[in-house]
Short mmCIF file of all heavy atoms in Angstrom, two decimals:
data_model
loop_
_atom_site.label_atom_id
_atom_site.label_comp_id
_atom_site.label_asym_id
_atom_site.label_seq_id
_atom_site.Cartn_x
_atom_site.Cartn_y
_atom_site.Cartn_z
N LEU A 404 -6.00 21.23 -9.34
CA LEU A 404 -4.77 20.94 -8.95
C LEU A 404 -4.19 22.03 -8.00
O LEU A 404 -3.52 21.83 -7.00
CB LEU A 404 -3.71 20.56 -10.03
CG LEU A 404 -3.56 19.08 -10.48
CD1 LEU A 404 -2.69 19.05 -11.67
CD2 LEU A 404 -3.05 18.19 -9.35
N GLU A 405 -4.38 23.26 -8.56
CA GLU A 405 -3.80 24.44 -7.84
C GLU A 405 -4.53 24.62 -6.52
O GLU A 405 -3.88 24.84 -5.44
CB GLU A 405 -4.02 25.66 -8.60
CG GLU A 405 -3.47 26.97 -8.16
CD GLU A 405 -3.55 28.19 -9.06
OE1 GLU A 405 -3.83 27.99 -10.15
OE2 GLU A 405 -3.45 29.22 -8.49
N THR A 406 -5.74 24.39 -6.52
CA THR A 406 -6.59 24.48 -5.21
C THR A 406 -6.17 23.50 -4.26
O THR A 406 -5.96 23.76 -3.09
CB THR A 406 -8.07 24.38 -5.51
OG1 THR A 406 -8.56 25.46 -6.38
CG2 THR A 406 -9.00 24.49 -4.26
N LEU A 407 -6.05 22.20 -4.61
CA LEU A 407 -5.55 21.17 -3.82
C LEU A 407 -4.20 21.30 -3.19
O LEU A 407 -3.93 21.14 -2.05
CB LEU A 407 -5.67 19.87 -4.57
CG LEU A 407 -7.09 19.23 -4.98
CD1 LEU A 407 -6.89 17.97 -5.94
CD2 LEU A 407 -7.87 19.01 -3.63
N THR A 408 -3.34 21.81 -3.97
CA THR A 408 -1.98 22.11 -3.59
C THR A 408 -1.94 23.42 -2.59
O THR A 408 -1.26 23.26 -1.57
CB THR A 408 -1.05 22.39 -4.82
OG1 THR A 408 -1.09 21.38 -5.77
CG2 THR A 408 0.41 22.75 -4.37
N ALA A 409 -2.66 24.39 -2.85
CA ALA A 409 -2.74 25.53 -2.07
C ALA A 409 -3.26 25.13 -0.57
O ALA A 409 -2.91 25.84 0.47
CB ALA A 409 -3.71 26.67 -2.70
N ARG A 410 -4.33 24.14 -0.49
CA ARG A 410 -4.84 23.82 0.70
C ARG A 410 -4.01 22.70 1.27
O ARG A 410 -4.35 22.18 2.42
CB ARG A 410 -6.18 23.30 0.41
CG ARG A 410 -7.12 24.42 0.03
CD ARG A 410 -8.53 23.79 -0.32
NE ARG A 410 -9.27 23.40 0.82
CZ ARG A 410 -10.42 22.74 0.83
NH1 ARG A 410 -11.03 22.71 -0.32
NH2 ARG A 410 -10.99 22.48 1.96
N ASP A 411 -2.86 22.37 0.76
CA ASP A 411 -2.02 21.38 1.35
C ASP A 411 -2.60 19.94 1.43
O ASP A 411 -2.31 19.19 2.38
CB ASP A 411 -1.46 21.78 2.68
CG ASP A 411 -0.28 22.68 2.60
OD1 ASP A 411 0.38 22.72 1.58
OD2 ASP A 411 -0.01 23.51 3.61
N LEU A 412 -3.62 19.80 0.58
CA LEU A 412 -4.25 18.36 0.51
C LEU A 412 -3.35 17.45 -0.35
O LEU A 412 -3.54 16.26 -0.09
CB LEU A 412 -5.75 18.40 -0.06
CG LEU A 412 -6.69 19.32 0.77
CD1 LEU A 412 -8.11 19.46 -0.01
CD2 LEU A 412 -6.86 18.70 2.11
N ILE A 413 -2.57 17.97 -1.21
CA ILE A 413 -1.62 17.13 -1.88
C ILE A 413 -0.34 18.03 -1.95
O ILE A 413 -0.37 19.25 -1.89
CB ILE A 413 -2.14 16.88 -3.35
CG1 ILE A 413 -2.40 18.06 -4.13
CG2 ILE A 413 -3.12 15.78 -3.48
CD1 ILE A 413 -2.72 17.78 -5.56
N ALA A 414 0.75 17.39 -2.06
CA ALA A 414 2.11 18.24 -2.06
C ALA A 414 2.92 17.64 -3.23
O ALA A 414 3.10 16.40 -3.44
CB ALA A 414 2.80 17.93 -0.66
N PRO A 415 3.41 18.57 -4.15
CA PRO A 415 4.24 18.19 -5.13
C PRO A 415 5.67 17.82 -4.77
O PRO A 415 6.20 18.24 -3.96
CB PRO A 415 4.18 19.45 -6.06
CG PRO A 415 4.05 20.50 -5.04
CD PRO A 415 3.19 20.09 -4.06
N VAL A 416 6.09 16.77 -5.50
CA VAL A 416 7.42 16.19 -5.23
C VAL A 416 8.09 15.97 -6.55
O VAL A 416 7.44 15.97 -7.60
CB VAL A 416 7.50 14.91 -4.32
CG1 VAL A 416 7.05 15.22 -2.87
CG2 VAL A 416 6.65 13.83 -4.99
N ASP A 417 9.46 15.82 -6.65
CA ASP A 417 10.16 15.53 -7.78
C ASP A 417 9.92 16.61 -8.84
O ASP A 417 9.50 16.43 -9.95
CB ASP A 417 9.82 14.14 -8.32
CG ASP A 417 10.29 13.01 -7.42
OD1 ASP A 417 11.12 13.29 -6.63
OD2 ASP A 417 9.76 11.87 -7.65
N ASP A 418 9.91 17.89 -8.51
CA ASP A 418 9.57 19.03 -9.33
C ASP A 418 8.33 18.94 -10.09
O ASP A 418 8.20 19.36 -11.18
CB ASP A 418 10.73 19.20 -10.57
CG ASP A 418 12.15 19.34 -9.89
OD1 ASP A 418 12.30 20.18 -8.89
OD2 ASP A 418 13.08 18.74 -10.43
N GLY A 419 7.31 18.61 -9.24
CA GLY A 419 6.03 18.51 -9.70
C GLY A 419 5.61 17.32 -10.62
O GLY A 419 4.59 17.26 -11.16
N LYS A 420 6.54 16.35 -10.68
CA LYS A 420 6.30 15.19 -11.51
C LYS A 420 5.40 14.09 -10.80
O LYS A 420 4.65 13.22 -11.42
CB LYS A 420 7.56 14.46 -12.02
CG LYS A 420 8.50 15.28 -12.79
CD LYS A 420 9.76 14.56 -13.14
CE LYS A 420 10.78 15.40 -14.18
NZ LYS A 420 11.92 14.57 -14.30
N ARG A 421 5.45 14.23 -9.50
CA ARG A 421 4.58 13.44 -8.66
C ARG A 421 3.95 14.21 -7.48
O ARG A 421 4.32 15.41 -7.28
CB ARG A 421 5.36 12.31 -7.99
CG ARG A 421 6.05 11.49 -9.00
CD ARG A 421 6.88 10.38 -8.31
NE ARG A 421 6.01 9.47 -7.32
CZ ARG A 421 5.28 8.42 -8.05
NH1 ARG A 421 5.52 8.13 -9.28
NH2 ARG A 421 4.53 7.64 -7.22
N TYR A 422 2.88 13.72 -7.01
CA TYR A 422 2.12 14.35 -5.77
C TYR A 422 1.99 13.36 -4.68
O TYR A 422 1.78 12.19 -5.04
CB TYR A 422 0.76 14.88 -6.22
CG TYR A 422 0.89 16.16 -7.08
CD1 TYR A 422 1.01 15.92 -8.46
CD2 TYR A 422 0.87 17.42 -6.55
CE1 TYR A 422 1.11 17.06 -9.21
CE2 TYR A 422 0.88 18.53 -7.45
CZ TYR A 422 1.14 18.27 -8.81
OH TYR A 422 1.13 19.46 -9.59
N ARG A 423 2.04 13.75 -3.43
CA ARG A 423 1.96 12.82 -2.42
C ARG A 423 0.81 13.37 -1.33
O ARG A 423 0.55 14.50 -1.32
CB ARG A 423 3.27 12.75 -1.66
CG ARG A 423 3.71 14.05 -0.79
CD ARG A 423 4.94 13.65 -0.03
NE ARG A 423 5.30 14.93 0.63
CZ ARG A 423 4.81 15.43 1.77
NH1 ARG A 423 3.81 14.68 2.46
NH2 ARG A 423 5.30 16.47 2.39
N LEU A 424 0.28 12.35 -0.61
CA LEU A 424 -0.66 12.63 0.36
C LEU A 424 -0.30 11.74 1.51
O LEU A 424 -0.12 10.59 1.40
CB LEU A 424 -2.08 12.28 -0.10
CG LEU A 424 -3.21 12.20 1.04
CD1 LEU A 424 -3.53 13.55 1.57
CD2 LEU A 424 -4.45 11.55 0.41
N ASP A 425 -0.19 12.53 2.79
CA ASP A 425 0.12 11.67 4.01
C ASP A 425 -0.99 12.04 5.06
O ASP A 425 -1.02 13.16 5.53
CB ASP A 425 1.45 12.13 4.57
CG ASP A 425 1.98 11.35 5.75
OD1 ASP A 425 1.13 10.56 6.29
OD2 ASP A 425 3.00 11.34 6.23
#
Side-chain angles (χ1 to χ4, degrees):
L404 271 175
E405 184 176 344
T406 300
L407 291 172
T408 304
R410 298 176 64 183
D411 280 334
L412 296 176
I413 56 174
V416 294
D417 295 339
D418 298 325
K420 295 179 181 178
R421 301 181 64 85
Y422 289 85
R423 68 173 178 83
L424 166 69
D425 189 351

